[in-house]
Amino acid sequence: MIKTKDLCKVFRTEEMETTALNDLNIDIQNGEFVSVMGPSGSGKSTLLNVLGMLDSTSSGEYHFNGEEVSLHSEHQRADCRKRNVGFVFQSFNLIDELTVFENVELPLFYLKVPGAERRKRVDEMLDQMGIAARRNHFPQQLSGGQQQRVAVSRAVISNPKVIFADEPTGNLDSSNGKEVMELLAELNNQGTTIIMVTHSPTYAEWGHRTVHLFDGRIVAEATNGKPHA
Amino acid sequence: MFWSYVKITVRNVIRQKLYSAINILGLAIGVAACITIILYVQEELSYDRYHEKADRIYRVALSARIGGNDFNVALSAAPIAGTLLEEFPEVETTTRIGYLGGYPVIRYGDKVFSEERYTTADSTIFDVFDIPFIIGDPKTALTQPNSLVLTESTARRYFGDENPIGKLMTSDKVNERMVTGVIKDFPHNSHFHYDFLLSLATSPDSRSTNWLNNNYHTYIVLKEGASAEELEAKFPDMIRKYVGPQVEQALGVSWDQMAEDGSSYEIFLQPLTDIHLHSHLDREIEVNGNITYIYIFSIIAAFILIIACINFMNLASARSASRAREVGIRKTLGSNRGMLVRQFLIESIVLTFASVVLAVILVLLILPWFNNQVGLQLSFRYSNLPWIVLGTILVGILAGSYPAFFLSSFNPVIVLRGTMKSSGRGSRLRSSLVVFQFTISIILFTSTIMVRNQLDYVQEKNLGYAPENLLVVEKTDDIGQQIQAFKLELAEQNSVLEVTNSTCIPGEPPSGESVFGMSTPTGDQYQILAMYFTDFNFLNTYGMKMAEGRFFSKDFSMDSNTVVINQAAVEAYGVEDPVGKELIVFGGPDNQNARIPIIGIIQDFHFESLHSPIRPMVIVPYRTRIFGGPGPTFGRYTTLRIQPYDISATLASVEAIWAGFALDQAFEYTFFEDNFNALYNNEFRTQTLATMFSVLAIFVACLGLLGLASFTAEQRTKEIGIRKVLGATVPGIFTLLSRDVLNLVLISALLSLPISWYAMNNWLENFAYRIGYSLLTFIIASLVALVIAVFTVTWQVIKAATTNPITALRYE
């Protein structure tokens, strides 16, 4: 599903050059759940952004589902992204002006799904996530856990092949955090590939394997005991 | 998709109340001002265009220079109309409107009115102009002598519901006129408004062949395709043929000799549709508008709109930080840039639309008040609506384009990481836009104050007489020789200090202008002098002063054959010791020139507005034999110098005395100062408009500044928190935050100095007597702008400066 070869990402400003990803090679199979760990500044988020096609590569190869993405224009990347990828963020990133329903609907909107089908799919999704009662609420009216559930709903509404989660539990207490992890594990069980950045070793263990980053390189890789159900 | 954007816009409006109010209100005020000015401009531009032949109608006017004097009059001589029609095939029709000196008193039954909008006209007036008839036949209405055509409202005034056709009306108790037609009232966008049209055939003068007496407004219609320039090119020959011999006979100088001496005589054509805005000749039918003011107000309208649009752009880009996250999320979820641009443009158009709807409501509400303030009759033109909608979309795109392209360019990775700094470029742009707004505001403000100062100046300038406490009873010529008794009775009143009767008063056109000669060491000099006919008490009543010699007096029995001239006349003739010299008056009955001794030189006084310099004039006492016969013995105006108190009692007693003489005729009076100040009506209107619009411009600019200040304060909350943790004081923070605004206003002031200097000097040139550009005024205007600006941001700044630093830092 995801395969990189000597992937580099360099940030340049007028005075300095920062190498965020350094000849990174990673291979992720369809249906895998991969946790990414590492200290601040090790390149975790950059990796997620590049793999999620939010950001371009500086050099190296990046194959997504057989496509060579590193040669794509921004427009092509965006197109590939909206068809294949969903995102979950630490800070939820819901749009404050939109209701729960409208936030979840948004990706379908951009995929130009017809209105009736959009409503049907979003209603089903909200039901499934147990937040149907909140459909007309605005994000500020929800608890953190509920907000993240909306965010996850929004990430999966378009049936993406891969979900990128950037510290999805970072802003949640432990019980809400656990709930979100269960959601992700469930999605993974249904076949969605998940790549998750986390600081928490406990949550990392929910993945099939954990990749450790340091200074933009993979320094260690461990297969976890058994995936949680 | 579209409705979802509209929905988001509406929610944004509700969530960001201050921001939305500033945006929508600011733009609404700007658009309302703009629409109002456009209505005014449309009104002014529409003058006389409603005539079917408007583009082929021309007025014949005269521009001449004789003996060093310039004539530029909207009048022409009686025979011109006929000559043009006979000799030039390109002329289709002509018509003449008489220029009448006095105003007749018209009677029907018990109805008596003194009529000011009364004139004579050729029967062809209805062929030239579109003047719809209600009753009567335009072909024949004015063909017979003593035929009278009335306007609808005038007919109702005299006849009520009675049919006026065939009725006889009395003019000045002397002549009987028969009503032959009733026409619609003239629309307000006509350059003339008469209530009565008397057939010109009534007047023997209409058949005069004298080319030197210019007493008619002459209009011609050219045939389709004929060129006015080509016709004008043929005029010099016509003038040589007809005017030349008559000038030679009157002055005894040959036409060629006169041309050699620098005299000229030019007849020219004015397009009908240019008259209202472009014609500023003497003896216009009504006071015309001025194209310069059309330009000025159009520019002001554009400026206010631009200021409001700038607010829109500025606030949107200032708010970019808070919109950035939304952009990031939308991009992450698959939106491309084009879709975001569309979203923000739709948002902008929706907001603009709300503003415009509000603006139209504002205009509808405010128009009656506005009309009242500036003396106009504007009405909202619904035919403008399509243009307003189109304008809305354009303004929406214009105002929304910068935020749309700016916001949609955000990189989602950066904005979602939260590391986006508001770019230096953006804030520089915002600063320049604020500078632009304040520059315009300061220019408008400075100009407003200077216009006011100039008008104060012209009102307070020493006019050469005391204009206070002068009561003018008008149309006293209607009681004829009884004026003497009327004056005597008035003079007995304790409240009346002085009384005088004259044919003319300052502020009204002189009673005549004529060429007078004087013998000088270098030969006879000829000058045009404005003429006043007065009784002996004119000088005292007005409080004028003599420079040399004396004014007329009862003590000298010969005084009814003398004259007084003003200092400007002395200067024009270039003579020394003028007292005792004689004025040469042309044209006695046997073409014998008369000579009248000068007994005094009156100090120059302003008998016209301060737009013009004081011209040479002559004051002639009643009964003086002039132009071959005795001059008038009474005049239209009786001026009373009254006690400054108990004005209403004085008025009542004067009216009672008047009624004793005039019986059923209305008592019409003005206070001299009001009448004289009416000469500056155009300027007063400009002042009112300029004041309103500059206040609006500053208000809208300040609205924008308020919004910007609140966002700057919000943006810098963290910086302020850190500074306070490190020991900054509240006043320190205040200075830090308001210094930016201060700098911007100072730059604006510097930029507006040369522009306002140029603009005001240009405007002041309209006055022969004027104040200079005042640096102090400019500084005051700038300071006021500064204070308003600082005051505007203070509330936001204080809020930011006094916030608990912990809260501020937690904001991250």
Side-chain angles (χ1 to χ4, degrees), chain A residues 63-117:
Chain A
H63 299 273
F64 180 91
N65 208 12
E67 280 182 69
E68 170 51 301
V69 178
S70 59
L71 302 174
H72 278 7
S73 71
E74 194 183 329
H75 192 81
Q76 288 169 310
R77 277 211 314 275
D79 196 51
C80 182
R81 185 171 71 225
K82 78 177 165 193
R83 284 184 285 108
N84 296 308
V85 173
F87 287 92
V88 178
F89 302 92
Q90 175 180 5
S91 52
F92 323 135
N93 278 338
L94 299 175
I95 295 180
D96 294 339
E97 286 77 20
L98 299 183
T99 61
V100 165
F101 183 93
E102 288 160 349
N103 263 293
V104 176
E105 187 189 23
L106 211 49
L108 298 182
F109 222 89
Y110 290 126
L111 283 171
K112 301 197 161 65
V113 175
E117 192 191 334

Side-chain angles (χ1 to χ4, degrees), chain A residues 81 93 102 109-110 140, chain B residues 1 11 325 329-331:
Chain A
R81 185 171 71 225
N93 278 338
E102 288 160 349
F109 222 89
Y110 290 126
Q140 300 99 309
Chain B
M1 198 68 129
R11 286 189 194 145
R325 212 173 59 93
I329 298 167
R330 283 181 182 275
K331 280 198 169 177

Side-chain angles (χ1 to χ4, degrees), chain B residues 697-751:
Chain B
I698 293 178
F699 179 72
V700 175
C702 282
L703 271 185
L705 201 59
L706 177 72
L708 271 189
S710 81
F711 284 112
T712 314
E714 194 176 291
Q715 255 178 2
R716 295 175 76 170
T717 310
K718 188 181 172 199
E719 177 196 341
I720 294 166
I722 296 171
R723 281 177 189 271
K724 285 179 82 172
V725 169
L726 296 177
T729 58
V730 171
I733 302 278
F734 183 82
T735 318
L736 177 82
L737 288 177
S738 42
R739 195 169 50 204
D740 290 347
V741 176
L742 219 77
N743 285 339
L744 294 184
V745 178
L746 283 179
I747 295 171
S748 310
L750 283 180
L751 287 176

Side-chain angles (χ1 to χ4, degrees), chain B residues 260-293:
Chain B
E260 239 167 76
D261 294 346
S263 291
S264 63
Y265 201 93
E266 190 194 340
I267 290 170
F268 63 100
L269 298 176
Q270 297 179 291
L272 174 72
T273 49
D274 276 3
I275 292 177
H276 177 67
L277 288 175
H278 297 273
S279 177
H280 304 288
L281 302 174
D282 286 337
R283 313 283 168 152
E284 295 281 354
I285 301 179
E286 290 175 11
V287 176
N288 285 332
N290 192 331
I291 190 74
T292 315
Y293 289 128

Side-chain angles (χ1 to χ4, degrees), chain B residues 484-680:
Chain B
Q484 296 306 328
F486 177 55
K487 282 199 298 184
L488 280 177
E489 206 167 314
L490 286 173
E492 284 168 14
Q493 303 292 310
N494 285 332
S495 53
V496 177
L497 304 175
E498 300 279 353
V499 190
T500 184
N501 176 262
S502 53
T503 55
C504 190
I505 59 171
E508 296 293 333
S511 304
E513 276 162 64
S514 207
V515 178
F516 292 87
M518 197 187 288
S519 304
T520 69
T522 53
D524 285 0
Q525 289 283 331
Y526 297 100
Q527 292 294 335
I528 290 177
L529 304 185
M531 290 187 292
Y532 267 47
F533 295 91
T534 73
D535 63 16
F536 292 177
N537 210 22
F538 187 73
L539 184 89
N540 281 343
T541 308
Y542 275 89
M544 293 157 179
K545 301 261 180 334
M546 295 304 289
E548 271 178 75
R550 59 175 182 83
F551 200 70
F552 318 115
S553 156
K554 288 193 199 73
D555 307 336
F556 297 81
S557 57
M558 287 304 291
D559 269 2
S560 55
N561 254 325
T562 57
V563 291
V564 164
I565 58 174
N566 70 354
Q567 292 171 303
V570 175
E571 208 170 300
Y573 286 114
V575 290
E576 313 239 332
D577 296 328
V579 175
K581 288 204 159 53
E582 290 173 329
L583 269 194
I584 305 165
V585 186
F586 296 106
D590 41 3
N591 268 338
Q592 210 52 28
N593 292 343
R595 290 174 175 269
I596 306 176
I598 297 164
I599 58 165
I601 310 302
I602 193 169
Q603 279 186 8
D604 281 344
F605 66 91
H606 288 278
F607 59 93
E608 293 173 305
S609 81
L610 270 67
H611 289 110
S612 357
I614 298 175
R615 294 186 295 149
M617 79 176 308
V618 56
I619 300 179
V620 186
Y622 288 143
R623 284 190 296 278
T624 293
R625 292 189 69 80
I626 192 164
F627 308 129
T633 52
F634 52 85
R636 172 177 161 82
Y637 301 95
T638 300
T639 310
L640 289 67
R641 181 162 294 280
I642 57 172
Q643 297 281 13
Y645 47 81
D646 268 347
I647 307 268
S648 51
T650 308
L651 273 175
S653 57
V654 172
E655 181 167 10
I657 297 170
W658 170 253
F661 289 97
L663 302 175
D664 48 4
Q665 197 183 321
F667 175 60
E668 291 182 41
Y669 67 93
T670 53
F671 287 97
F672 178 85
E673 276 184 299
D674 299 345
N675 192 50
F676 195 79
N677 287 340
L679 297 175
Y680 307 114

